């Protein structure tokens, strides 16, 4: 499964590395939601899909059209922000207390 989202008018795809997915806990959907929250800017609309995206014909012409299962990326927890080096230990300590 992968994530698709609008990247300035062009459909973008995130295909997570199996090794990273194996490190996360939860269902496959929960893991992909975590990745969306980690890798996409907060508030980005995206969908989780298992569609076959192997046909690269006119790939730059693909467009993202929101569907019924669209989700919105959210902020990571402070623990996850520290884990992925999105904040420093000092910022973590200042906000955690």
């Amino acid at each position: 499964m992968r994530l698709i989202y609008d990247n300035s008018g062009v459909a973008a795809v995130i295909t997570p590395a199996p090794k990273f997915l194996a490190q996360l806990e939860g269902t496959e959907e929960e893991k992909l939601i975590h990745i969306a929250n980690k890798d996409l800017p907060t508030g980005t609309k995206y969908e989780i899909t298992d569609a076959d995206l192997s046909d690269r014909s006119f790939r730059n012409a693909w467009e993202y059209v929101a569907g019924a299962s669209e989700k919105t990326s959210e902020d990571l927890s402070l623990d996850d922000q520290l884990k992925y080096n999105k904040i420093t230990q000092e910022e973590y300590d200042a906000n955690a207390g």
Side-chain angles (χ1 to χ4, degrees):
M1 295 184 78
R2 41 186 75 73
L3 301 168
I4 57 171
Y5 65 99
D6 179 6
N7 186 20
S8 301
V10 177
V13 179
I14 295 177
T15 304
K19 187 175 181 180
F20 182 75
L21 275 177
Q23 297 174 11
L24 299 175
E25 295 180 10
T27 65
E28 190 168 6
E29 181 174 348
E30 291 169 338
K31 292 176 181 185
L32 288 169
I33 290 170
H34 177 83
I35 291 170
N37 293 339
K38 176 178 136 339
D39 292 338
L40 298 176
T42 300
T44 300
K45 306 286 187 190
Y46 70 94
E47 287 190 47
I48 297 171
T49 183
D50 59 357
D52 180 13
L53 303 175
S54 61
D55 181 4
R56 295 183 173 265
S57 303
F58 302 106
R59 183 165 188 173
N60 289 337
W62 290 359
E63 293 182 8
Y64 172 74
V65 178
S69 62
E70 184 175 63
K71 300 180 183 329
T72 303
S73 62
E74 299 175 0
D75 289 334
L76 289 172
S77 68
L78 283 176
D79 290 334
D80 283 340
Q81 289 179 45
L82 182 62
K83 178 179 178 180
Y84 298 121
N85 298 316
K86 304 250 183 211
I87 61 172
T88 64
Q89 183 67 49
E90 292 79 23
E91 292 170 314
Y92 177 85
D93 294 341
N95 289 304

